Amino acid sequence: MRKAIVATLFATGLSVPLAAQTFVSSIDISTEISASTGVHTGHIAVDDTGATPIIYVNPLNNGAAGQTLNIVKIADPLGTPAVSTFATNDAGGAGVSATRGSGGIAVDGAGNVFICWTGNGGDDSARIQRYSSAGGAPTGEWLYSAGLSDRLGGIDVNAAGDKVVGARFLSTATQTGHYELTGAATLTRTFAATPAGAVAQNPRNVAFDATNSRVYINANGALSVINADTPPADAAPATKWAAGTAATLQDTGANSFAGHGVDVNADGSLIVYSPNQNVGSAGRTMRIVDPAGSTLLTIGELDSPGDGTGALLSRGSDAAFFTASGKDYVAVADYELNTFSRVAIYELPTPISLRTVDGVGVASGTFASIAEAVADLAASPEATDGGLDIINVTADTVESTNVLIDHSVITDEVQVRGNGNTAVFQATAITDGVGINIKADNASKTTLADLTVVPEDDPSTGTVAFAGAAIRVKDQDVATTGGFTVALSGVTITSSTAGNAVVDPDAAAPEDSTNWVFGGSPIYAGGIRVDSTSGGADNVVTISDTKISHTGSRGLYVAVSDGTSLTTTNVEAKYNAGVGLRTFSLTGSWTLIDCVSSNNADSGFATAGTGTATSAVTISGGEFSNNSFYGMQLDGLAAYSINGTDGDPIRIVGNGNRGVRFSNAGSVIDGLSYLVIADNASHGFDVNELDTDASWTNGINEVIFSGNGTISATPTNMSYGDTHSTAKTIEVTNVTFYNPSGAQAAGWDAFNFQYRYGSDLTWNFTDCIFAGNAGDNDYAVGISGTGANRVVNITNSAIVTAGPALAGVSAGTGTGLTINQTAVINDDPNFLDPGDVTSVDFLNVQNPAFGGAGSAASDLSGGADYVPDFSDVSDWMILND
């Protein structure tokens, strides 16, 4: 059966500024250090085995021979610190004349304190001594004392206290190496030259991981990891430090000054270390990274001066993780030379708990990222029973690089759920250029919910870009039989600022676009890409309550050629550098419910490619407005149904070219109803090519056209240019055509309906209103191009020939047009709010003359409502005989 996992992941954004963290306290230890030492580097260790954590600090003593080395014991760092000290020196060591300076401090699981230092005054030997947890006099155990050439830069001890690691340093690389000191009493040195791949010069501190099998070494600002117990612990030193067992995780530059501290948290998922810092420059920092070396959190700010109050680090020299009352903290030793020395306490953000459940129980495990949790699912040999794996992300911010949910390997149902505020910062080194890559397989199920996916700011370049999509849904590269389900809900994809703040997806695009999510070949999307080529119609993809904004390419790109069913509900695509919602060669179906695609640098919604005539695009409700090109560009082969409702019409407003355009001779229209198509710069509705013979069985119903065509040579609200010539009748009912020229200068002919090409096609306009803007030469019907047997029947409608909404009857130079009018009135409708497309009263008809003027004695209101204005008492008074 599939094992269940409970894991904890510390949620930290990438290089998050200190202002985003919780500063707890800054404890001044300057007065606890003897004046003769000067105020200098502090080394710290934390014992959190009890309810009250204890922080031990010992300063680096650069004083003269005979000076005392102090250890400062700080109890309860989260309350009012009770500070006490106990003095140490090397008087018990034979032949040792004085202390030289402290190199490090560590605490084992029993609270015993281990200190290392280098002697002075004729004895430069490296020394380690153990003290009881109560401090005071030494235990009398000289754990290690070496020759004149040895200096220890730092130590760590395992929980049992029977293994100690140390870092030996001198000023030249040829004399640099690493120690492992083993044994329960007097420790034996096992030493070799610098392990291959590790930092060579001046290793300043070391730390075990939770399993004591990996050693992290910090030196000159670079962080290395060594697989210390592979080969086994009793191997010869040369084998133990064999080539290929070490790797440099972080290297921040030249070795002008060595960063000192390094620590690993209890579960091994986080490492804190001090990068290389230049003594003469202002601003120090501590960094928290994951075991793969990705920076999760920066404490302090580079190139900013410390102020001694905890707002910034001055010279972060050492750090240690600890927990208290269920919360996670990091203590940082910080100093300014001869000015102050302190310990600053920071609370880490709320941990992420990763839980997988299938009803058979709960096992424990810990991961540093969502990617690691998913990788564990893939690596588990029990992951074969089709159970349910849930990854619950409870924190607000998490870094997770290279998330691959591969259902050829993970056969269980996988759910990744955030807390609604979770921002997943994705790094640039990502598989296939994708942030979260879902590779679906037969009968697999995947859910992503309540996550924000944002690119990581790369401090080395100052820029961030996904090569492709932030999220990609793709069937397996091999043929599948279908039946997979993928659901995305509550997902936000947007850009980040240089400080990794999440850009508001509803705000205008940021001026600096370097941190946009960039889509590029072959992914073709900045936000979400859905691919499926071999699975069949049983595949289902749903995307709901999702925002895709500020990408450098398309927001959502769909390439479905196997019949996969896609439904998007309440999806918003805004401020993208390409098309907001886009599909190519669709052979399945795409249903859009109440979606918004606006303010994109290309079209709001676009289809392209050949596809098949059986593919279906259904748009119910929503808005496609203020895009730089079309509101809807429908070039792909499909059957289109575009229908709003009376209370929620589809709004296609303010686009930089056409509102809607059809350009595929094989496409059909199954329905067009309850639309507001207004203020688009070219034709409001343009049929360039269409399978007119097979389309429009439901005609056009309940539509408002207004103010379209301000940049066209011949402005039109609606234009028909299909050249098909098979006999066909199209019904247009309850439609308002108003002011087709918009702001067009007087003297231009503008048409509510322009008949450009085609023959043997009859248009029946019933219960419609054709209105213009007096003086703009707006015409009800226009004609151009060639054609024969072109008939327009206008019945129970209005063609306004006087008043503010005056329009002419017809104009044009084309051939073959006959216009028939039956029961047509010419009164002005007295439109309500004709200039405010957002008003609920937009183009409502007030003139009582329109009452009963429609078909079957209905009120004539076009695509709006009839709200008569009875201003004369005789129009409404009840007369008594």
Side-chain angles (χ1 to χ4, degrees), residues 166-190:
R168 172 184 181 271
F169 77 96
L170 281 176
S171 59
T172 61
T174 58
Q175 295 177 297
T176 300
H178 305 279
Y179 294 96
E180 182 181 20
L181 311 171
T182 61
T186 301
L187 301 186
T188 302
R189 180 182 71 170
T190 57

Side-chain angles (χ1 to χ4, degrees), residues 463-551:
T463 62
V464 171
F466 290 118
I471 299 174
R472 188 181 192 186
V473 178
K474 188 181 188 302
D475 59 1
Q476 293 300 318
D477 294 328
V478 297
T480 60
T481 59
F484 67 74
T485 300
V486 177
L488 311 181
S489 65
V491 173
T492 297
I493 296 171
T494 184
S495 64
S496 65
T497 67
N500 280 327
V502 177
V503 172
D504 182 355
D506 295 316
E511 292 182 6
D512 180 4
S513 62
T514 56
N515 284 25
W516 282 19
V517 184
F518 280 89
S521 179
I523 309 301
Y524 303 114
I528 299 174
R529 176 178 171 110
V530 179
D531 289 315
S532 190
T533 59
S534 58
D538 292 336
N539 300 332
V540 176
V541 178
T542 60
I543 305 174
S544 62
D545 301 315
T546 289
K547 294 184 177 183
I548 310 168
S549 297
H550 305 112
T551 75

Side-chain angles (χ1 to χ4, degrees), residues 613-707:
T614 61
S615 59
V617 174
T618 302
I619 302 177
S620 302
E623 181 171 343
F624 303 85
S625 299
N626 301 314
N627 299 287
S628 295
F629 202 41
Y630 298 148
M632 295 183 186
Q633 181 181 5
L634 307 178
D635 296 340
L637 179 60
Y640 295 93
S641 175
I642 304 174
N643 299 285
T645 64
D646 187 18
D648 185 20
I650 299 174
R651 292 167 48 83
I652 305 168
V653 177
N655 296 287
N657 201 285
R658 290 163 172 80
V660 181
R661 189 186 200 215
F662 287 89
S663 296
N664 193 305
S667 292
V668 300
I669 302 176
D670 285 339
L672 289 168
S673 64
Y674 293 104
L675 310 175
V676 175
I677 302 177
D679 299 332
N680 298 287
S682 186
H683 308 303
F685 183 92
D686 180 20
V687 175
N688 189 53
E689 287 187 81
L690 192 69
D691 189 358
T692 307
D693 307 336
S695 69
W696 286 359
T697 54
N698 297 318
I700 303 177
N701 307 281
E702 304 289 348
V703 177
I704 292 177
F705 293 98
S706 173

Side-chain angles (χ1 to χ4, degrees), residues 281-359:
S281 67
R284 303 296 185 261
T285 183
M286 300 293 290
R287 291 185 185 175
I288 297 177
V289 301
D290 64 19
S294 297
T295 300
L296 304 179
L297 175 68
T298 296
I299 301 176
E301 294 182 5
L302 290 170
D303 302 321
S304 298
D307 61 3
T309 65
L312 298 172
L313 299 184
S314 182
R315 291 183 172 130
S317 59
D318 201 1
F321 293 107
F322 67 96
T323 60
S325 302
K327 296 182 179 181
D328 300 290
Y329 299 88
V330 62
V332 177
D334 181 22
Y335 77 101
E336 182 62 39
L337 189 62
N338 298 320
T339 304
F340 67 85
S341 186
R342 65 184 176 187
V343 174
I345 311 297
Y346 302 94
E347 180 184 344
L348 295 179
T350 305
I352 289 178
S353 65
L354 308 181
R355 174 188 292 272
T356 64
V357 184
D358 66 1

